[in-house]
Each structure stands twice: as C-alpha cells, then as structure tokens.
Amino acid sequence: MTSVAVAVTDGMLHFELGLACEVFGSAPDAVRVPWYDVSVCGTGPVRVGRFTLTPDRGLDHLARARTVIVPALADVDEDPPADLVRAVRAAHAHGARVVSLCTGAFVLAAAGILDGLRATTHWAHTDDLAARYPKVTVDPDVLYIDNGSVLTSAGKAAAMDLCLHLVRLDHGPAVANVVARRLVVPPHRAGGQAQYVTTPVPAGDGHPLASLLPWVMRRLDRPLTVEDLAARANMSSRHLARHFHAVTGTTPLRWLLTQRIRRAQELLETTDDNIDTIANAAGMGTATTLRRHFQRTVGVPPDTYRRTFRASP
C-alpha cells in the first residue's frame, strides 16, 4: 500500500484538497489492487474555504510518506507558511514524490525544490510564480509537468488530470480508467496539452470581443481567417491582435486553432465519427491537417487519444 500525505494549512482551496482525497482516499469497487493509505497532515485544525478540517497527523509525517500532495493556496501574494515549506522540503530530501496542485506550486518553489526544473501552476499566476522564483522555468501552456520526483499541475481540472496521471503511473491505465469513470471525467489528458487559457470570454457587453468569441465558437466548422474575425469585429487585424493578446494572452490565429483542437477532442470523446468527419466539423478541412495539429498540441494522434479515452479496464 502506497502512503499519500496531503499537506494542509489555513487558506487552502477546498476543491483541490477534496479531489486529492477523493482520488486517493478510496479504491473503486472494481479495483483489486492495494490502494493508497491517505493521511491529511497539518499543525492543527485549519480553515479550508468555508470548512474547518482537523488533520490526521502532523506535518512531520510528510517525511515518512511515499507521495506528498500540496493543494492550492487561496492567497499567493503572501509567503506560504514556513512550517509547511520546511516539512515539504524535508519530505523531498527523504525521497518523497512531491506533487503540487494549482497554486500549491508556490510552496514547492519556496522550498527550493523547483529550482532548475520546469513547473506550472494556474495560468493566472504563472507570471507571478516566474517573477518571484526566477530559478524555476515556468511553463504556462501545459496541464501538468512530471519531473519524476517533483510534479506540478495547472488549476482545477488539470489538478484532477495530474492525480489520475499518478494513479496511472502506480497502477496502470486500466485502473486509472476505472477511477476516472467513477468520477465521470476523461481518463487521460496528456500533461503537455495546453491549459486553454485562451478560452475566456470578456466580461461586459461593451468589450470588442464579447460578441466575437461566441460568434466564432458557433462557426468552427467554417474556414475562418483572422481577416474574417477582424471584419466581424469591425476593426483592423492589428487592432484585433492587440485586443486578443490583452484578453487571451495569445494571437487570434492561435486562439482559433486551440478552439478547433478542443472541438475535435470533444467529438473524439463523445462520437463515433471518423477522423475525416471530425476534421470537417472542427474546421481543419482534412484528416491530415487535423492529425498534424492535434499531435503537436495534445501530444498524441487523434486515434490514440480516442483509444485512450475509451480504453476498457
């Protein structure tokens, strides 16, 4: 049985904490392998969102666990608690696999265990992480990063992806698929897949992109160009690019390609359509074009993505 220690402190977010406990805390009925022994570790009762939580063990237990998970911090502007940082550093020194979910990466960075490594966190905080910890190579464009003994994830759903990745490493894809089915989530999204920070729709009807982005999403099966988007928004292509970068952090063309890939993923997951049909529906034109962009963005070919998603336990 593999020991998992979930570190907690005041001000953590309950979503990432809850999903870690859900994934590792109890084995699905169909799983017949030794499951994880999970402990929640802290210095005393802590406030987690709206809830008060009493830990099972102290932070010193982190150094005795095989895997240490650090959930997300609500306030990354404050330095993480020194006792938590010391405990995580000690766990890593004792050979634990240390995992951060979302902004838990700030704890790992403060402990110095991300120095010289690639790491990620929620896209809204990647610039801050990079600025505060310049020895860390921050990648804002991935779901999670596996450095072997140190792993980091982006926010929310990406934290679930990383937890399932750990189950897949420990018990194989069939068991990970069983866990994913119980939780009603996709069993595998590659860590190198984009965070899709390019999807938010600007708030407020007055923003130049507020009506444009939904308009595009309804027409992904059509051969849209940047010029088409600019004409729809009644602005020049250069002006459009400035608005896109301000809102999405990327270019109109990259945003459009990402939405087409997302549409293809949805169709691969939910339909039996062949690759040519999906390529047309996603606006890629041909299966060859879809396969090229899909492989580069997601990290696996569309056929492999579909087989992984539908793999039987």
Side-chain angles (χ1 to χ4, degrees), residues 72-94:
L73 299 173
D75 188 356
V76 298
D77 292 328
E78 293 187 2
D79 291 334
D83 54 357
L84 175 60
V85 171
R86 285 193 300 268
V88 170
R89 185 186 296 122
H92 180 254
H94 278 80

Side-chain angles (χ1 to χ4, degrees), residues 276-293:
D276 288 295
T277 300
I278 291 174
N280 284 326
M284 294 289 192
T286 68
T288 300
T289 301
L290 172 60
R291 287 191 173 95
R292 181 175 69 253
H293 289 297

Side-chain angles (χ1 to χ4, degrees), residues 10-293:
D10 282 327
M12 281 189 164
L13 298 175
H14 60 270
F15 181 86
E16 288 80 0
L17 171 60
L19 73 83
C21 292
E22 181 66 25
V23 170
F24 302 108
S26 60
D29 293 338
V31 171
R32 297 291 182 262
V33 297
W35 205 241
Y36 301 92
D37 178 21
V38 177
S39 298
V40 177
C41 304
T43 57
V46 298
R47 188 72 176 174
V48 181
R50 293 176 175 267
F51 311 105
T52 299
L53 177 67
T54 301
D56 305 315
R57 300 173 182 267
L59 286 174
D60 59 334
H61 181 70
L62 299 187
R64 296 190 287 275
R66 171 66 184 87
T67 298
V68 171
I69 297 179
V70 183
L73 299 173
D75 188 356
V76 298
D77 292 328
E78 293 187 2
D79 291 334
D83 54 357
L84 175 60
V85 171
R86 285 193 300 268
V88 170
R89 185 186 296 122
H92 180 254
H94 278 80
R97 178 174 62 181
V98 181
V99 180
S100 67
L101 306 180
C102 192
T103 53
F106 283 79
V107 177
L108 275 59
I113 64 178
L114 293 182
D115 289 357
L117 298 178
R118 286 178 64 239
T120 193
T121 188
H122 191 289
W123 61 267
H125 302 291
T126 50
D127 288 345
D128 190 19
L129 183 65
R132 287 169 61 182
Y133 303 101
K135 293 182 181 179
V136 182
T137 302
V138 180
D139 189 340
D141 297 324
V142 294
L143 296 177
Y144 56 85
I145 294 174
D146 183 348
N147 289 298
S149 63
V150 180
L151 302 90
T152 56
S153 85
K156 304 302 179 187
M160 176 67 79
D161 292 320
L162 179 51
C163 288
L164 290 174
H165 173 69
L166 294 173
V167 174
R168 189 175 303 105
L169 290 175
D170 295 340
H171 299 295
V175 172
N177 286 357
V178 172
V179 175
R181 283 192 176 90
R182 184 189 66 170
L183 298 172
V184 199
V185 297
H188 180 56
R189 291 198 296 170
Q193 185 173 320
Q195 284 194 42
Y196 297 127
V197 302
T198 55
T199 59
V201 176
D205 292 338
H207 195 283
L209 302 188
S211 61
L212 175 65
L213 301 193
W215 180 84
V216 174
M217 295 299 291
R218 294 191 297 269
R219 292 164 174 79
L220 287 178
D221 59 330
R222 305 181 189 181
L224 297 171
T225 65
V226 173
E227 289 72 22
D228 293 331
L229 272 60
R232 174 69 185 183
N234 195 29
M235 62 180 70
S236 68
S237 297
R238 181 174 296 181
H239 196 194
L240 178 73
R242 286 198 295 269
H243 280 296
F244 255 88
H245 190 270
V247 171
T248 71
T250 190
T251 66
L253 188 60
R254 171 55 58 181
W255 180 87
L256 181 59
L257 177 61
T258 301
Q259 306 320 305
R260 295 194 191 283
I261 296 295
R262 289 194 76 183
R263 177 64 54 81
Q265 285 181 293
E266 293 170 0
L267 295 173
L268 287 166
E269 294 169 8
T270 60
T271 75
D272 294 318
D273 293 345
N274 61 39
I275 302 302
D276 288 295
T277 300
I278 291 174
N280 284 326
M284 294 289 192
T286 68
T288 300
T289 301
L290 172 60
R291 287 191 173 95
R292 181 175 69 253
H293 289 297

